[in-house]
C-alpha cells in the first residue's frame, strides 16, 4: 500500500487560485512609459500565480470590449471601464482562466493573466489627441504588460498561450507573432482567439460598413505601424484588422473558437442599425428563431461567408478550430460553457478539451458543426464581450 502525500502548500494554492477574487495590478511606471488608457490612467491587469506543474507556464488573456472609431466615440469611453483603469473592481477568473482542475484541467495551475482593455483599438494604437485629452496607446499598453510579465518570470516559460475574447480575441491574432518573438526560442508558444475572427463582409444593404469602421479605428488610433508587418507589406493596412488576411502570414500556431452565427457580427456587421432604418431586423438579430424565411436565408449566407473566411486554417497543420452552430459571442470565459457538465460540444468534445488537445499536441483539433442553427442542443446563447 502506498500513501501519496499531497504538498500542503500546493493544495492551499489550488484552493486560493480557484476561489479568491483578484485585485487589479497597475503596470509599474506605466504613465512614464506612455502605457495608458484613453483617459491617461495606467495600464493594468489581473494576475493569479501558477503553482505545482504549472509554475513555469503562462496564459495571457486580453479582455474585449469593442472599439472607438472617432474622437466622439473615444471621449464617450473615457468615463467608463472601456477607456479607464480607474475604479477597477476585483475579478474572479473562470473558463479558460479558471482555477478549478475539474473544469480547466490543462490550464488551472498556470500563471493566469487578464489584461484590462481600456484603449479601444485591440491594443494597436500609438497616438495622442492633446486637445481632447485622449491617449491612443494600446500598443504601448500591450508591450508594457508583457515586459512586466517577463520580469515576473515569464522569461523562463516552458509553455505560453496568448488568448483573448472579442476585441481581445482579435488582439491575440494581431499580436500573436510578436508574443512568440518576445519569448525564448525554447518556449512552446501558441495563440487562441475566442470570437475575434471578424470577417470582411458586406451588410444587408450591400455596403462594406465594417471595412470603413476598421479603417476609421486605424486612423484614429494611429494603428497602421503596429499591425502585423507581414500583412501590411502585402495589403492595405486597414485590411490587416481582418483575421482572414492576417492568418495567411502567421508563423505561430493559432486556435480559433467562434460561433458560426456570431451574435456580435450578425448585429453589427451583417445587420447594423444604420442599414436597417425600419427596424425590420431588430428581433431577428437578438433571436435567430424570430427571423423571417428571407432573413434566415441571409443569415445562412453569412455563415457560409464565415466558414469560407476560416477555410485557410482548415488546411494549416498547426491550426485548431472549434466552430459551433451557436448564436453566441465569447464562449471561453465561463466554466459551464468551457469544460463542464452541460458545456458546448462539437463532435462530443467540449471547447476546453479541444483547446487543450491542440495546445499539447495530443490530437489534431478541427471541429466544425456541419449543420445549421439550431441543430446543436448544447449551445449556450451568449453575447458577453469580455
Amino acid at each position: 500500500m502506498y500513501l501519496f502525500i499531497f504538498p500542503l502548500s500546493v493544495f492551499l494554492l489550488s484552493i486560493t487560485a480557484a476561489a479568491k477574487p483578484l485585485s487589479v495590478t497597475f503596470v509599474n511606471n506605466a504613465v512614464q512609459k506612455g502605457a495608458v488608457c484613453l483617459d491617461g490612467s495606467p495600464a493594468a491587469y489581473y494576475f493569479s500565480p501558477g503553482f505545482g506543474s504549472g509554475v513555469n507556464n503562462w496564459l495571457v488573456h486580453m479582455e474585449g470590449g469593442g472599439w472607438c472609431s472617432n474622437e466622439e466615440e473615444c471621449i464617450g469611453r473615457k468615463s467608463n471601464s472601456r477607456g479607464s483603469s480607474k475604479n477597477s473592481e476585483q475579478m474572479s477568473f473562470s473558463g479558460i482562466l479558471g482555477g478549478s482542475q475539474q473544469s480547466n484541467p490543462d490550464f488551472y495551475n498556470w500563471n493566469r493573466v487578464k489584461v484590462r482593455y481600456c484603449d479601444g483599438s485591440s491594443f494597436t494604437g500609438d497616438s495622442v489627441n492633446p486637445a481632447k485629452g485622449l491617449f491612443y496607446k494600446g500598443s504601448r499598453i500591450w508591450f508594457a504588460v508583457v515586459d512586466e510579465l517577463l520580469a515576473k518570470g515569464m522569461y523562463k516559460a516552458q509553455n505560453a498561450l496568448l488568448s483573448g475574447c472579442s476585441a481581445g480575441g482579435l488582439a491575440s491574432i494581431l499580436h500573436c507573432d510578436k508574443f512568440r518573438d518576445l519569448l525564448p526560442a525554447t518556449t512552446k508558444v501558441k495563440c487562441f482567439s475566442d470570437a475575434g475572427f471578424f470577417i470582411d463582409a458586406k451588410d444587408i444593404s450591400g455596403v462594406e460598413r465594417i471595412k470603413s469602421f476598421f479603417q476609421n479605428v486605424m486612423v484614429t488610433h494611429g494603428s497602421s505601424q503596429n499591425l502585423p508587418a507581414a500583412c501590411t507589406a502585402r495589403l492595405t493596412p486597414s485590411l490587416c484588422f481582418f483575421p482572414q488576411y492576417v492568418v495567411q502570414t502567421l508563423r505561430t500556431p493559432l486556435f480559433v473558437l467562434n460561433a458560426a452565427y456570431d451574435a456580435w457580427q450578425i448585429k453589427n456587421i451583417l445587420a447594423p442599425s444604420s442599414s436597417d432604418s425600419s427596424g425590420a431586423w431588430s428581433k431577428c438579430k437578438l433571436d435567430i428563431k424570430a427571423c423571417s424565411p428571407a432573413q434566415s436565408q441571409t443569415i445562412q449566407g453569412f455563415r457560409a461567408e464565415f466558414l469560407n473566411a476560416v477555410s485557410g486554417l482548415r488546411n494549416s497543420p498547426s491550426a485548431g478550430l472549434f466552430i459551433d452552430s451557436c448564436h453566441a459571442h465569447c464562449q471561453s470565459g465561463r466554466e459551464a460553457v468551457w469544460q463542464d457538465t452541460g458545456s458546448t460540444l462539437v463532435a462530443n468534445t467540449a471547447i476546453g478539451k479541444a483547446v487543450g488537445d491542440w495546445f499539447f499536441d495530443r490530437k489534431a483539433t478541427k471541429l466544425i458543426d456541419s449543420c445549421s442553427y439550431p441543430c446543436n442542443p448544447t449551445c449556450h446563447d451568449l453575447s458577453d464581450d469580455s
Side-chain angles (χ1 to χ4, degrees):
M1 178 178 179
Y2 296 93
L3 178 64
F4 178 74
I5 306 299
F6 192 79
L8 178 61
S9 61
V10 174
F11 173 76
L12 292 175
L13 273 170
S14 65
I15 295 297
T16 301
K20 183 180 179 181
L22 301 168
S23 296
V24 72
T25 298
F26 293 101
V27 171
N28 190 39
N29 296 321
V31 175
Q32 292 89 326
K33 296 172 183 176
V36 295
C37 303
L38 284 168
D39 69 339
S41 56
Y45 58 93
Y46 296 88
F47 175 56
S48 180
F51 58 91
S53 61
V55 71
N56 287 321
N57 298 331
W58 290 75
L59 196 163
V60 181
H61 182 88
M62 290 171 288
E63 194 175 36
W67 310 266
C68 55
S69 65
N70 55 50
E71 180 183 286
E72 182 181 359
E73 291 175 359
C74 293
I75 289 174
R77 291 170 77 100
K78 280 179 60 177
S79 60
N80 60 48
S81 62
R82 297 306 188 201
S84 175
S85 63
K86 296 176 183 177
N87 304 316
S88 293
E89 299 179 352
Q90 288 189 320
M91 175 178 291
S92 296
F93 284 172
S94 185
I96 190 173
L97 289 169
S100 164
Q101 184 175 9
Q102 178 179 345
S103 59
N104 193 25
D106 287 308
F107 308 111
Y108 78 99
N109 63 350
W110 286 30
N111 295 281
R112 288 162 290 125
V113 180
K114 188 167 189 176
V115 185
R116 285 280 288 104
Y117 181 52
C118 60
D119 68 277
S121 72
S122 286
F123 300 96
T124 63
D126 195 357
S127 181
V128 176
N129 183 338
K132 299 296 181 179
L134 287 167
F135 299 85
Y136 304 116
K137 297 294 183 180
S139 179
R140 294 198 186 197
I141 290 174
W142 189 82
F143 278 108
V145 171
V146 172
D147 281 346
E148 188 154 302
L149 297 178
L150 288 168
K152 281 179 179 275
M154 196 167 69
Y155 73 93
K156 57 183 178 181
Q158 296 173 345
N159 298 290
L161 179 63
L162 181 67
S163 75
C165 154
S166 192
L170 173 59
S172 70
I173 297 173
L174 299 180
H175 289 289
C176 185
D177 283 341
K178 294 176 189 175
F179 188 66
R180 161 67 276 176
D181 292 341
L182 289 169
L183 288 161
T186 54
T187 306
K188 184 190 189 80
V189 180
K190 296 187 178 184
C191 303
F192 168 73
S193 173
D194 175 10
F197 207 97
F198 301 94
I199 67 170
D200 182 8
K202 294 179 180 179
D203 66 18
I204 52 175
S205 66
V207 175
E208 296 179 318
R209 212 168 294 272
I210 190 64
K211 185 178 289 183
S212 297
F213 179 77
F214 278 158
Q215 166 73 17
N216 291 337
V217 170
M218 185 196 73
V219 172
T220 298
H221 291 264
S223 299
S224 60
Q225 62 188 333
N226 299 313
L227 298 175
C231 179
T232 57
R234 299 169 54 249
L235 299 171
T236 301
S238 60
L239 290 179
C240 296
F241 257 94
F242 291 104
Q244 66 201 80
Y245 305 121
V246 174
V247 298
Q248 296 173 14
T249 58
L250 209 60
R251 293 178 281 109
T252 309
L254 172 70
F255 191 108
V256 168
L257 162 65
N258 230 101
Y261 304 89
D262 186 280
W264 191 94
Q265 296 198 52
I266 288 176
K267 190 186 301 181
N268 296 282
I269 295 180
L270 178 63
S273 298
S274 53
S275 295
D276 182 35
S277 57
S278 68
W281 278 78
S282 57
K283 291 183 179 179
C284 172
K285 289 190 295 185
L286 297 176
D287 180 4
I288 296 180
K289 294 187 289 293
C291 296
S292 69
Q295 289 171 332
S296 295
Q297 185 175 0
T298 299
I299 285 178
Q300 297 307 330
F302 187 79
R303 171 179 177 264
E305 278 192 83
F306 180 85
L307 293 178
N308 182 62
V310 300
S311 62
L313 294 174
R314 295 191 200 184
N315 301 320
S316 169
S318 67
L321 287 171
F322 192 105
I323 311 297
D324 51 53
S325 288
C326 302
H327 184 225
H329 185 68
C330 286
Q331 302 177 83
S332 65
R334 304 188 189 189
E335 181 179 301
V337 183
W338 175 248
Q339 189 171 353
D340 200 10
T341 304
S343 61
T344 300
L345 306 175
V346 173
N348 206 35
T349 303
I351 296 169
K353 177 68 163 57
V355 176
D357 285 346
W358 164 80
F359 185 90
F360 289 106
D361 302 312
R362 292 192 290 254
K363 62 188 296 187
T365 307
K366 290 186 173 64
L367 304 175
I368 302 175
D369 264 337
S370 58
C371 54
S372 57
Y373 184 90
C375 67
N376 189 332
T378 68
C379 283
H380 296 252
D381 284 351
L382 302 168
S383 58
D384 178 50
D385 64 354
S386 60

